[in-house]
Amino acid sequence: KAGVTQTPRYLIKTRGQQVTLSCSPISGHRSVSWYQQTPGQGLQFLFEYFSETQRNKGNFPGRFSGRQFSNSRSEMNVSTLELGDSALYLCASSLDTQTYEQYFGPGTRLTVT
Amino acid sequence: AQKITQTQPGMFVQEKEAVTLDCTYDTSDQSYGLFWYKQPSSGEMIFLIYQGSYDEQNATEGRYSLNFQKARKSANLVISASQLGDSAMYFCAMREYSGGGADGLTFGKGTHLIIQP
């Protein structure tokens, strides 16, 4: 069974631009969560999608948004990029919202210059 | 207040020794889950072990065991017979369960474990 895949793996953007990251969960998994990892703030929960609906959101500004498609693939978008958005963005999938175990993808490393 | 506290920023351990990584947590929920993840330098988060708040037995997965002390709100990871490949960042995390399902994972700051030959 294929694991969680994230594309692209690396990305360099300029301040003020926007970016879209993609995550494909493990086949059969319907819940997708996104996390941001920075040296200063550590790992922080962004949001979770289940059945194309956002069911949980962390404490991030509205510039961070996401969506989920009917095949459970998810995208997250960051608009008006700031230098502080430079981070490793990790996606995790689980069967549903009740299943405890989350499987992580390799992450997308975003650098904002 | 921090929900997950890992007090050891870094640890050096000799190969084949047992390692204990500390984790304390803070929650007022009765239903929650505790996790340990390993993150090698490649960046991917690898699930190691899970302990549910209602589980009476300590969780074990191969060389990993979780020393769960509910009254002390402690969930230490024990790695037996450490190997060079165990060198990595280790994160303790918690998931709280509300009526609508599980919340997102809350992570600690991590412990950088280095195994020396």
Side-chain angles (χ1 to χ4, degrees):
Chain A
K1 202 180 232 187
V4 179
T5 58
Q6 291 187 245
T7 56
R9 293 292 312 278
Y10 302 90
L11 205 49
I12 299 175
K13 289 285 188 179
T14 304
R15 261 185 309 176
Q17 287 185 317
Q18 76 163 15
V19 67
T20 298
L21 311 181
S22 180
C23 171
S24 292
I26 292 170
S27 178
H29 284 197
R30 296 169 60 200
S31 172
V32 174
S33 299
W34 289 89
Y35 295 85
Q36 181 198 62
Q37 185 176 24
T38 60
Q41 298 299 316
L43 280 148
Q44 294 183 282
F45 170 70
L46 279 157
F47 29 64
E48 178 185 13
Y49 285 87
F50 177 75
S51 291
E52 302 177 64
T53 302
Q54 186 184 90
R55 61 172 297 276
N56 262 324
K57 186 171 168 37
N59 189 24
F60 278 82
R63 299 185 297 107
F64 291 82
S65 63
R67 59 177 175 167
Q68 187 181 35
F69 302 95
S70 58
N71 61 357
S72 295
R73 189 177 70 86
S74 176
E75 289 181 347
M76 68 162 280
N77 184 75
V78 188
S79 63
T80 319
L81 283 166
E82 301 176 0
L83 294 179
D85 297 333
S86 294
L88 179 66
Y89 289 88
L90 291 159
C91 164
S93 80
S94 57
L95 271 172
D96 50 45
T97 59
Q98 303 297 324
T99 304
Y100 60 82
E101 197 168 310
Q102 290 194 324
Y103 295 89
F104 282 81
T108 293
R109 188 164 294 281
L110 171 66
T111 302
V112 182
T113 61
Chain B
Q2 285 208 357
K3 287 202 168 186
I4 299 287
T5 303
Q6 294 180 252
T7 57
Q8 306 151 310
M11 285 184 74
F12 288 88
V13 173
Q14 289 296 119
E15 191 180 6
K16 297 182 184 154
E17 288 184 352
V19 182
T20 298
L21 304 181
D22 295 340
C23 173
T24 57
Y25 60 93
D26 183 28
T27 180
S28 55
D29 286 349
Q30 295 301 309
S31 183
Y32 53 90
L34 297 158
F35 304 77
W36 279 92
Y37 285 89
K38 172 183 177 181
Q39 188 178 42
S41 56
S42 59
E44 186 165 356
M45 297 289 284
I46 301 168
F47 167 79
L48 295 178
I49 197 165
Y50 163 83
Q51 179 86 39
S53 57
Y54 295 115
D55 296 339
E56 294 188 354
Q57 303 270 8
N58 285 343
T60 59
E61 290 283 352
R63 295 186 298 115
Y64 304 106
S65 61
L66 198 153
N67 184 1
F68 182 45
Q69 298 187 43
K70 194 170 181 176
R72 295 180 60 190
K73 294 189 174 177
S74 164
N76 297 342
L77 176 71
V78 179
I79 307 174
S80 63
S82 58
Q83 301 170 357
L84 295 178
D86 293 333
S87 295
M89 284 293 291
Y90 287 80
F91 292 94
C92 179
M94 177 172 64
R95 238 185 150 176
E96 293 162 289
Y97 296 90
S98 59
D103 295 334
L105 284 164
T106 300
F107 286 88
K109 295 292 186 187
T111 295
H112 189 191
L113 176 65
I114 297 174
I115 307 297
Q116 297 174 311

